[in-house]
Amino acid sequence: MSDIGVIGLGVMGKNIALNMLNHGYRVSGYNRSFDRTQLLIDENIPSFSGFEKIEDFIASLEKPRRIFLMVPAGKPVDAVIEQLKPLLSAGDIIMDGGNSYFEDTNRRDKDLQQLGIHYFGVGVSGGEEGALHGPSIMPSGDKQAYASIAKILTDISAKKDKDPCCTYIGPEGSGHYVKMVHNGIEYADMQLLAETYLILKYTLGYTNGEIASTLEAWNQGEVQSYLVDITVTVLREKDNVTENDLVDMILDVAGNKGTGRWTSIEALRQEYNASLLTSAYQARIMSNQIDLRKAYVQANQQKTTNITVEQIHNAYQLAKTIAFVQGFNLYRDASSKYAWNLNLKEIASIFRAGCIIQAKLLQRIMHAYDDGADDLLLYPSIKQDVDQYTSDLKKVIIDAIDLPLPVFTAALTYINQLTAENLGANLIQGQRDFFGAHTYQRIDKEGFEHHEWGAK
Ligand code: 6PG
């Protein structure tokens, strides 16, 4: 009998299964088309059993059965659940390890509760490598049932020093919510690195190699992160065909699979301003406006610059910090909105290894929560960064004003909104009251007033 079954043996599912096998678990595997299962059977791993029929796969599992889904988000997950329903019994556990939309997970959780089946939304981050060697894992669902999957998920997770990068997140779809916003932060930091590349390339005139060396040096300090590290490798890679730098041979268009869009939509629904995350998603949309860009494109003007590498570093550090802060504050907001009771320090902790946004900055965020921080923007050392580095962010943006820097400028706009004495919202109130009698609030008295605008 197997300890756990994995459904979906694409690269991610296969690697998760291998990770479980490497940790001494007996694993059953099932895939919609049998050839993938056969490939794994052919590897002759003693504690792996592959099945062509889902009934046989189910019959091979110890009870309560534990099933880990690694199938594409959306309809495929519902289809597998429908297949499983008649074969499972009360007490069995289904875990969805894909990037499912958290409200789908809420719905599936409710639905399966009626059959006594425990459903877990399991955020998994770390790509193919992480799945095999240790991802960051964000499981959510019934807290008591979690006890019977905690060990296996913890065992296969990444470790930071000795701390496992897996923790129980909360009820229903909260694990997938946490993964979704993780990706929102991921988009923002990726875009900030892309903008840093543009600044170094077009203001300082750096080559790809020089940009890589600059980022490599930065990665020894405060901005250290997995994304900075892989960016260095991407910039140094040579093309096999032309011998140019590979990055110069890649089309200037970026796709996405939806999690960044969901983060932006959700932030708006929560009425929380996650502008850096949203701008990063919009930057990907713009990159795809190929015909429009062709109609407007102008060659970059080479120009002299007054900014230093250190100022660019400080601007990046500040914008990156704000991107993480917006993401964690979004968690804080969702936690109270959905009554999830999220442990924000634990979330920061499990992001320190295995996942795509692993970064030194997370250690600071943990300290902030240890010190009782609530809104991270009010935490003294983060506020101090804003005070200290905003002038460098401004200098960089002014100097690089001709470049498309949506996330750097979103960071500056956000800071300007925080620091401004007047946002112009008084005028908005006047306009709203003028055309819709929406009332306005006065500075010298409580309550709401209406005014007959323009009356003589
Ligand atoms: C991770 C990544 C991963 C992500 C894909 C697709 O944490 O391992 O976030 O789950 O979903 O890399 O991302 P795109 O939306 O950019 O295609």
Side-chain angles (χ1 to χ4, degrees):
M1 298 293 271
S2 293
D3 302 302
I4 189 160
V6 177
I7 297 186
L9 299 174
V11 189
M12 288 295 287
K14 179 184 167 189
N15 284 357
I16 283 279
L18 290 172
N19 187 346
M20 291 166 177
L21 289 161
N22 290 338
H23 281 89
Y25 291 97
R26 297 163 301 168
V27 180
S28 290
Y30 173 81
N31 195 70
R32 198 162 54 105
S33 60
F34 185 62
D35 12 328
R36 289 235 162 110
T37 317
Q38 188 64 57
L39 285 176
L40 208 48
I41 294 173
D42 291 345
E43 291 191 23
N44 288 319
I45 304 163
S47 11
F48 177 76
S49 324
F51 297 91
E52 190 162 13
K53 286 200 182 131
I54 196 158
E55 293 79 5
D56 298 337
F57 164 82
I58 298 294
S60 74
L61 302 174
E62 292 267 21
K63 287 185 184 167
R65 302 177 184 97
R66 294 178 287 189
I67 298 170
F68 198 94
L69 307 186
M70 253 319 185
V71 299
K75 289 204 174 94
V77 176
D78 286 315
V80 176
I81 291 173
E82 284 312 309
Q83 254 186 309
L84 288 174
K85 268 184 186 172
L87 304 173
L88 298 184
S89 333
D92 289 345
I93 296 173
I94 303 176
M95 293 163 264
D96 172 12
N99 277 330
S100 290
Y101 180 51
F102 77 100
E103 292 206 331
D104 285 342
T105 306
N106 291 349
R107 167 178 58 76
R108 291 167 185 147
D109 175 42
K110 269 208 189 80
D111 179 41
L112 288 163
Q113 262 175 36
Q114 292 173 5
L115 300 173
I117 296 168
H118 300 296
Y119 193 68
F120 281 84
V122 183
V124 176
S125 175
E128 297 172 14
E129 277 293 298
L132 181 60
H133 299 295
S136 172
I137 306 182
M138 302 143 237
S140 66
D142 182 82
K143 192 157 190 190
Q144 278 171 353
Y146 181 65
S148 56
I149 52 170
K151 185 165 186 319
I152 186 162
L153 294 183
T154 304
D155 284 351
I156 65 164
S157 73
K159 308 289 177 300
K160 175 68 184 177
D161 306 325
K162 282 190 179 134
D163 298 341
C165 291
C166 171
T167 192
Y168 174 77
I169 297 291
E172 47 181 24
S174 54
H176 277 144
Y177 180 95
V178 167
K179 176 65 206 308
M180 175 188 79
V181 176
H182 162 286
N183 282 23
I185 299 171
E186 171 184 306
Y187 281 38
D189 201 11
M190 289 170 78
Q191 178 64 27
L192 280 172
L193 284 164
E195 293 176 19
T196 301
Y197 153 81
L198 293 180
I199 296 166
L200 289 168
K201 180 170 171 176
Y202 292 111
T203 64
L204 295 190
Y206 277 21
T207 61
N208 295 325
E210 286 167 336
I211 300 170
S213 302
T214 305
L215 293 182
E216 195 171 41
W218 290 6
N219 214 26
Q220 305 306 309
E222 283 309 304
V223 298
Q224 183 284 323
S225 64
Y226 169 79
L227 280 171
V228 173
D229 185 43
I230 64 158
T231 305
V232 171
T233 306
V234 169
L235 284 163
R236 285 192 176 141
E237 202 77 6
K238 289 286 172 203
D239 180 25
N240 295 333
V241 184
T242 62
E243 290 181 10
N244 290 338
D245 291 343
L246 182 53
V247 71
D248 292 337
M249 302 305 294
I250 301 179
L251 208 58
D252 184 22
V253 166
N256 77 92
K257 295 206 187 76
T259 45
R261 183 175 71 244
W262 296 340
T263 306
S264 305
I265 294 170
E266 189 51 29
L268 289 172
R269 274 180 24 173
Q270 285 178 220
E271 302 206 9
Y272 182 79
N273 183 1
S275 51
L276 275 69
L277 282 48
T278 309
S279 300
Y281 176 62
Q282 286 173 329
R284 291 203 192 177
I285 299 178
M286 277 307 285
S287 76
N288 284 278
Q289 306 291 302
I290 298 168
D291 292 341
L292 269 182
R293 290 174 59 198
K294 260 192 202 138
Y296 277 85
V297 71
Q298 292 174 5
N300 282 305
Q301 307 282 330
Q302 202 61 46
K303 61 183 193 83
T304 53
T305 180
N306 296 315
I307 46 172
T308 63
V309 175
E310 196 192 342
Q311 286 168 329
I312 301 170
H313 167 274
N314 295 344
Y316 171 62
Q317 182 179 326
L318 175 55
K320 180 181 183 123
T321 303
I322 293 177
F324 275 68
V325 163
Q326 286 190 342
F328 273 82
N329 278 349
L330 203 52
Y331 290 144
R332 166 178 171 267
D333 192 64
S335 182
S336 75
K337 183 169 181 223
Y338 299 120
W340 281 339
N341 198 21
L342 299 179
N343 184 331
L344 303 182
K345 183 192 163 191
E346 284 284 295
I347 294 172
S349 170
I350 63 162
F351 285 170
R352 286 177 306 152
C355 73
I356 306 295
I357 64 166
Q358 55 186 282
K360 187 171 177 193
L361 175 57
L362 290 156
Q363 204 73 47
R364 272 183 79 199
I365 293 178
M366 286 175 71
H367 281 311
Y369 289 127
D370 263 342
D371 284 354
D374 184 19
D375 184 332
L376 285 177
L377 282 167
L378 297 175
Y379 185 65
S381 99
I382 287 172
K383 185 163 185 302
Q384 202 181 329
D385 271 16
V386 175
D387 295 340
Q388 190 177 348
Y389 296 128
T390 299
S391 64
D392 284 340
L393 178 62
K394 280 185 187 165
K395 283 187 196 123
V396 169
I397 289 174
I398 290 168
D399 207 76
I401 197 75
D402 292 330
L403 294 176
L405 306 176
V407 181
F408 271 107
T409 50
L412 182 57
T413 299
Y414 191 65
I415 293 167
N416 284 344
Q417 287 168 325
L418 289 172
T419 55
E421 209 175 347
N422 187 349
L423 292 175
N426 47 337
L427 188 63
I428 305 281
Q429 287 213 60
Q431 292 161 335
R432 288 182 75 234
D433 190 50
F434 183 107
F435 62 68
H438 293 296
T439 72
Y440 67 93
Q441 290 170 287
R442 295 184 60 88
I443 58 169
D444 53 1
K445 118 180 202 231
E446 293 277 306
F448 292 85
E449 309 279 327
H450 172 60
H451 179 75
E452 288 303 314
W453 297 93
K456 292 266 153 48

